[in-house]
Amino acid sequence: MKPEVSIIIPCYNAAPWLEACIASTRAQGVDSMELIIIDDGSTDGSLKIVKSMADDNLHLYSQSNRGASSARNRGLAVSRGRYIQYLDADDQLGKYKILHQLHRLREAEPGSVATCPWVRFDNKPLAPSFHHQKNFQSLSPLEFLQVNWEQDIMMHPAAWLIPRSVAEQAGPWDESLTLNDDGEYFCRVVLESSGLVYTPDAASYYRSNLSSSLSGRKDPDSLLSLHSSIEKMEALMLEHDHSPRTEHACACARQRLAYSIFLQHPELAAQCETRAQQMAHGPLPEPGGRITQVFAQFTGWRTALQIQRQYHRLLEAVTG
């Protein structure tokens, strides 16, 4: 008998967080469930932890280090569940998260995908404060993507529950991407779905401020991956809809991308800004935080970002 849900966890050197992650999957209230862990060449104690927590529903696979997207693709290939739950090894699911989303999806239009509130945490997700985002609601596929790019918000991987049929239509994770691979993947999932069903009584927890986090990488190659992912997402959105709102949402994403990559790839940033101005149907977002925006009023955003970089370099030199 096939399980109702497959939870897929890519794991690379996640020993400090893995036990809590696995424990959170066992508080879902779902009887028919399999847990698939793909060890992506860990060199710490991750494998030992997984084996110590093994039961009949836990399946461990190992591969050489090929990245999280490769591990997720392998996990999906060996999974059998009707619904797919992705979960990074340093994140956690709230109690009964999957059960609540299953109830909603069973009542929803076929092909719907489920989302839920999520919150960042550093250590333990104790009594977290959920700050409402504009994508914390049931939305049409295109509207969800428009809101995300207009507001510069996201839905992290563990917040979703996806019917297998939708995941198969969306295709595999793009293993060429190292940064924003989740954004590009879930863009395809959303556009293959019939709509998003928000589940307010579910929750997931996204661990932040890790020095090893892929999402925080700013090296040149990672920023090129970010650029590639935005280009692919933009093409998909405009293929589905060429309305002024969609164009402007793409312009907002392009303008933020220009800010993000300017210091490492100034020529590419200039191309992004030109593209943003061509698609804009209103004001575009300002760069950085409040201080950077103040400087930008007098110096332009390029100089403001350069000043910000020099300030951080000086601060690092002083503090050692």
Side-chain angles (χ1 to χ4, degrees):
M1 180 178 175
K2 292 184 177 180
E4 185 78 350
V5 179
S6 296
I7 303 177
I8 299 171
I9 301 178
C11 174
Y12 176 70
N13 289 348
W17 317 288
L18 194 51
E19 185 174 352
C21 174
I22 294 174
S24 77
T25 70
R26 293 173 172 170
Q28 296 305 305
V30 180
D31 294 330
S32 180
M33 189 172 71
E34 65 177 358
L35 176 59
I36 297 171
I37 298 179
I38 309 296
D39 181 73
D40 191 43
S42 294
T43 57
D44 64 354
S46 294
L47 280 172
K48 183 177 180 180
I49 291 171
V50 173
K51 291 175 181 177
S52 73
M53 301 183 73
D55 61 17
D56 292 341
N57 297 319
L58 190 155
H59 309 289
L60 173 64
Y61 300 84
S62 294
Q63 64 181 36
S64 59
N65 182 234
R66 296 199 291 270
S69 289
S70 171
R72 294 184 186 108
N73 283 337
R74 185 173 181 192
L76 184 60
V78 300
S79 68
R80 300 175 299 132
R82 293 180 56 214
Y83 295 90
I84 304 300
Q85 167 73 63
Y86 291 106
L87 177 62
D88 288 350
D90 54 350
D91 294 342
Q92 296 178 34
L93 302 176
K95 189 175 184 180
Y96 301 143
K97 182 262 189 191
I98 294 176
L99 183 64
H100 291 312
Q101 289 184 314
L102 281 175
H103 287 162
R104 292 281 280 139
L105 286 176
R106 287 166 182 160
E107 299 171 351
E109 182 180 349
S112 297
V113 296
T115 61
C116 72
W118 62 274
V119 67
R120 297 177 186 270
F121 74 103
D122 290 326
N123 296 311
K124 294 182 179 180
L126 299 176
S129 176
F130 286 89
H131 300 286
H132 182 77
Q133 296 184 165
K134 287 196 174 181
N135 60 6
F136 283 12
Q137 57 180 315
S138 296
L139 295 165
S140 71
L142 192 62
E143 193 175 15
F144 173 83
L145 296 172
Q146 290 168 337
V147 166
N148 279 10
W149 277 9
E150 290 165 352
Q151 301 294 320
D152 192 23
I153 53 180
M154 68 172 190
M155 189 69 67
H156 86 122
W160 300 86
L161 187 65
I162 312 167
R164 173 176 291 278
S165 59
V166 175
E168 290 175 345
Q169 291 165 3
W173 289 70
D174 188 336
E175 296 180 21
S176 72
L177 298 176
T178 56
L179 189 61
N180 201 37
D181 56 339
D182 57 330
E184 190 274 339
Y185 175 78
F186 284 104
C187 178
R188 287 185 277 123
V189 167
V190 166
L191 290 174
E192 290 294 342
S193 76
S194 58
L196 283 79
V197 177
Y198 180 64
T199 314
D201 44 358
S204 62
Y205 304 96
Y206 178 45
R207 192 182 299 271
S208 298
N209 299 323
L210 294 178
S211 59
S212 59
S213 172
L214 293 177
S215 63
R217 289 172 57 177
K218 300 297 181 184
D219 59 277
D221 287 345
S222 294
L223 293 177
L224 286 176
S225 172
L226 175 63
H227 176 267
S228 179
S229 71
I230 295 297
E231 282 202 319
K232 292 179 179 185
M233 294 166 71
E234 177 188 290
L236 285 169
M237 289 177 65
L238 293 176
E239 181 182 337
H240 280 74
D241 178 69
H242 235 295
S243 68
R245 183 178 180 186
T246 296
E247 288 186 344
H248 189 70
C250 291
C252 290
R254 281 279 183 173
Q255 188 65 49
R256 292 190 187 96
L257 179 60
Y259 301 145
S260 297
I261 68 176
F262 167 68
L263 294 175
Q264 300 280 11
H265 301 286
E267 293 183 0
L268 202 56
Q271 294 174 21
C272 288
E273 186 175 28
T274 298
R275 176 70 170 156
Q277 292 169 350
Q278 292 170 346
M279 292 188 293
H281 291 267
L284 291 171
E286 299 292 335
R290 185 175 301 175
I291 295 176
T292 303
Q293 291 176 16
V294 170
F295 275 106
Q297 292 177 4
F298 301 99
T299 66
W301 65 265
R302 292 173 181 81
T303 302
L305 291 177
Q306 289 171 333
I307 292 172
Q308 183 186 47
R309 177 171 66 175
Q310 293 301 322
Y311 168 76
H312 285 299
R313 285 180 173 175
L314 178 62
L315 188 64
E316 288 175 1
V318 170
T319 58

